[in-house]
Amino acid sequence: YNSYFHYLICPVLMSTDLSLLCLQVENRPKYYGREYHGMISREEADQLLSVAEGSYLIRESQRQPGTYTLALRFGNQTRNFRLFYDGKHFVGEKRFESIHDLVTDGLITLYIETKAAEYISKMTINPIYEHVGYTTLNREPMSPQKPPATLWQPLKLFAYSQLTSLVRRATLKESEWAPKYEKVHNFKVHTFRGPHWCEYCANFMWGLIAQGVKCADCGLNVHKQCSKMVPNDCKPDLKHVKKVYSCDLTTLVKAHNATRPMVVDMCIREIEARGLKSEGLYRISGFSDLIEDVKLSFDRDGEKADISVNVYEDINVITGALKLYFRDLPIPVITYDAYPRFIEAAKLTDPDERLEALHEALKQMPPAHCETLRYLMAHLKRVTQNEKHNLMNAENLGIVFGPTLMRAPDLDAMTALNDIRYQRQVVELLIKNEDILF
């Protein structure tokens, strides 16, 4: 491809095998080669490297013996970087198998950031993200016939044609009833094989490894600096969501285009069909191996999991699987952010003020969490209406579900222990006032 970034990178790639060799040195660390020069000064390193742009060596620090420095010639000056090794070589976030790869990636980054600094600072100003992908799934795509506004537009149009994942998304129409839950992207540092372009700004993603970040839930690929600008509109793709249990609640419902997690819907339907009058419902535990089997079935088969009476005769296995799902959530149903509001509401003594505080606390929860909690509380209300048979009232269910639905966020052990009674009270109040609060 004939792009400006390719033009920038080529001179660097042609000058990255310029390690200065030192054939005789004692006590060379086993993970360094002949580029290691022992304990020499900055001035000596600068003199040795002055022979060629892009040359480099490794030296032991004179000020801090036992630590190592990568000295690299760039821009007619010697730059010194503290060098680390933990099985891989690194000077920053990126880790490399070899010093040569580290230097090559470093030279590429230095060269681009020096020669294209002004453009890089403006990359996020005019993103293509507004024209394709999540924000306008049903809008007409950009027309390549329009004259380029700048020298960079041809690259953007070319990159646009390469963004197959976004074009594919643009062909999909959302269901009219699908809940519009906001979800942040789950970006992870990623190494791309072959040329890649940022799906936010459409510019080339440079470097040998860790060129950018990839959303683990929807597959969106962007520069690290662009990831801060991407809206919270992640639409998880089922091929990236590998399991049901231990998956973020909002991620799961968006991936399945649902209102609530299918585990919650399916388990509650099964419980209400054949278990509302079962004595000790939710209090009595099912056989742990069978509960684990239900979990694996949901992770493997999703909505096709068979939890009928033909497979699991004991209804306590299904209630156990539902409680396990809630316990395994990385963010509890009552989120860490909302947790303090619920605890403070439970501490109020005036009934009206307490209900008002609970109502305000519910507003702090993400929509998918609030809807799941609403559905569960309506179900538990129906459980209490069969108390004569199952012996489970709102207080008993509060004891069972308090620690399951809400967990203290990084509190000391004593505070968390004191909160248990308030957790029980929160769930009890939510069940008793389900029709008012929701």
Side-chain angles (χ1 to χ4, degrees):
Y1 55 92
N2 182 22
S3 74
Y4 183 67
F5 281 118
H6 185 249
Y7 167 76
L8 285 174
I9 291 172
C10 278
V12 182
L13 292 177
M14 291 187 292
S15 63
T16 54
D17 197 18
L18 293 172
S19 59
L20 291 186
L21 304 182
C22 182
L23 302 180
Q24 295 180 339
V25 63
E26 296 181 356
N27 301 321
R28 177 187 288 121
K30 62 182 180 180
Y31 40 82
Y32 295 137
R34 291 182 176 178
E35 69 275 2
Y36 178 72
H37 283 245
M39 189 179 287
I40 63 174
S41 67
R42 284 188 172 217
E43 292 73 22
E44 289 176 287
D46 183 57
Q47 186 175 3
L48 287 169
L49 295 175
S50 62
V51 296
E53 186 79 352
S55 57
Y56 65 94
L57 58 83
I58 296 172
R59 62 183 180 85
E60 184 176 2
S61 173
Q62 291 181 329
R63 294 180 181 177
Q64 295 178 291
T67 64
Y68 303 96
T69 298
L70 171 66
L72 175 65
R73 191 73 176 181
F74 180 81
N76 295 319
Q77 60 178 306
T78 300
R79 305 189 181 210
N80 293 276
F81 304 91
R82 179 77 175 273
L83 188 59
F84 302 90
Y85 181 81
D86 63 357
K88 292 188 177 182
H89 304 278
F90 62 100
V91 297
E93 292 182 352
K94 296 184 180 183
R95 283 166 163 72
F96 299 83
E97 296 289 346
S98 70
I99 292 294
H100 179 268
D101 286 350
L102 185 154
V103 171
T104 302
D105 186 85
L107 285 172
I108 291 171
T109 302
L110 286 170
Y111 201 85
I112 289 178
E113 289 181 352
T114 301
K115 301 296 183 180
E118 182 179 356
Y119 183 74
I120 290 173
S121 67
K122 297 178 180 178
M123 282 197 316
T124 59
I125 293 176
N126 185 31
I128 64 159
Y129 196 82
E130 298 174 0
H131 306 292
V132 296
Y134 298 127
T135 53
T136 52
L137 282 174
N138 299 318
R139 186 183 299 179
E140 289 290 323
M142 290 191 304
S143 171
Q145 278 76 36
K146 290 183 179 180
T150 68
L151 172 66
W152 299 94
Q153 198 65 25
L155 173 59
K156 286 198 173 188
L157 290 174
F158 177 77
Y160 168 76
S161 69
Q162 303 298 311
L163 303 181
T164 55
S165 61
L166 284 181
V167 172
R168 183 174 64 253
R169 292 187 197 116
T171 65
L172 303 175
K173 291 190 176 183
E174 290 183 297
S175 170
E176 292 180 3
W177 58 266
K180 302 299 187 290
Y181 294 159
E182 182 180 272
K183 180 189 177 314
V184 297
H185 289 272
N186 182 19
F187 286 121
K188 307 287 185 185
V189 175
H190 189 76
T191 294
F192 299 94
R193 305 301 177 190
H196 267 75
W197 284 262
C198 174
E199 296 181 35
Y200 181 79
C201 71
N203 288 296
F204 186 64
M205 301 172 78
W206 61 87
L208 289 186
I209 69 167
Q211 302 95 331
V213 294
K214 184 186 190 77
C215 179
D217 296 332
C218 71
L220 185 71
N221 305 317
V222 296
H223 290 113
K224 185 176 180 181
Q225 60 266 43
C226 289
S227 67
K228 301 170 185 176
M229 310 295 293
V230 177
N232 295 337
D233 58 357
C234 176
K235 288 184 171 56
D237 190 326
L238 280 175
K239 71 180 181 181
H240 296 291
V241 179
K242 303 297 185 184
K243 55 187 178 181
V244 172
Y245 279 68
S246 302
C247 178
D248 172 70
L249 193 153
T250 302
T251 298
L252 187 67
V253 298
K254 286 179 74 73
H256 288 270
N257 207 20
T259 306
R260 295 172 300 274
M262 97 281 285
V263 180
V264 177
D265 280 6
M266 291 175 64
C267 286
I268 287 179
R269 280 200 302 268
E270 193 67 25
I271 293 164
E272 295 198 350
R274 59 184 173 101
L276 281 180
K277 295 183 179 180
S278 176
E279 184 176 332
L281 189 68
Y282 286 113
R283 180 176 56 80
I284 297 175
S285 298
F287 191 45
S288 59
D289 284 356
L290 292 178
I291 292 172
E292 188 66 24
D293 189 52
V294 174
K295 171 185 174 179
L296 294 175
S297 180
F298 274 115
D299 282 340
R300 182 183 64 248
D301 304 323
E303 296 172 345
K304 296 180 180 179
D306 186 358
I307 58 172
S308 67
V309 67
N310 298 327
V311 183
Y312 303 103
E313 184 177 354
D314 183 4
I315 196 62
N316 296 311
V317 171
I318 308 303
T319 60
L322 180 60
K323 289 186 291 183
L324 178 61
Y325 171 74
F326 289 131
R327 287 198 301 271
D328 278 359
L329 286 173
I331 300 175
V333 174
I334 294 178
T335 61
Y336 294 121
D337 290 340
Y339 180 91
R341 302 286 293 269
F342 281 92
I343 295 297
E344 291 305 315
K347 292 178 180 179
L348 296 174
T349 55
D350 182 89
D352 292 336
E353 290 181 3
R354 191 163 51 191
L355 282 182
E356 182 61 32
L358 283 174
H359 190 259
E360 290 301 314
L362 287 168
K363 293 179 181 178
Q364 305 300 312
M365 291 174 55
H369 286 248
C370 194
E371 168 57 23
T372 301
L373 185 63
R374 180 202 67 77
Y375 190 72
L376 177 64
M377 291 304 111
H379 162 65
L380 295 181
K381 185 75 168 284
R382 291 189 286 274
V383 172
T384 64
Q385 290 167 354
N386 287 271
E387 181 187 355
K388 183 172 65 174
H389 302 284
N390 59 39
L391 307 181
M392 295 299 289
N393 57 28
E395 183 179 357
N396 293 337
L397 291 169
I399 293 171
V400 173
F401 277 95
T404 301
L405 299 178
M406 52 196 307
R407 299 193 292 273
D410 301 324
L411 298 181
D412 61 85
M414 187 57 67
T415 305
L417 192 62
N418 290 334
D419 278 358
I420 291 178
R421 63 183 178 125
Y422 296 115
Q423 293 172 356
R424 171 186 62 77
Q425 290 175 16
V426 166
V427 175
E428 183 181 345
L429 288 165
L430 290 174
I431 295 171
K432 288 180 176 179
N433 300 281
E434 172 267 332
D435 54 340
I436 298 172
L437 291 171
F438 295 97

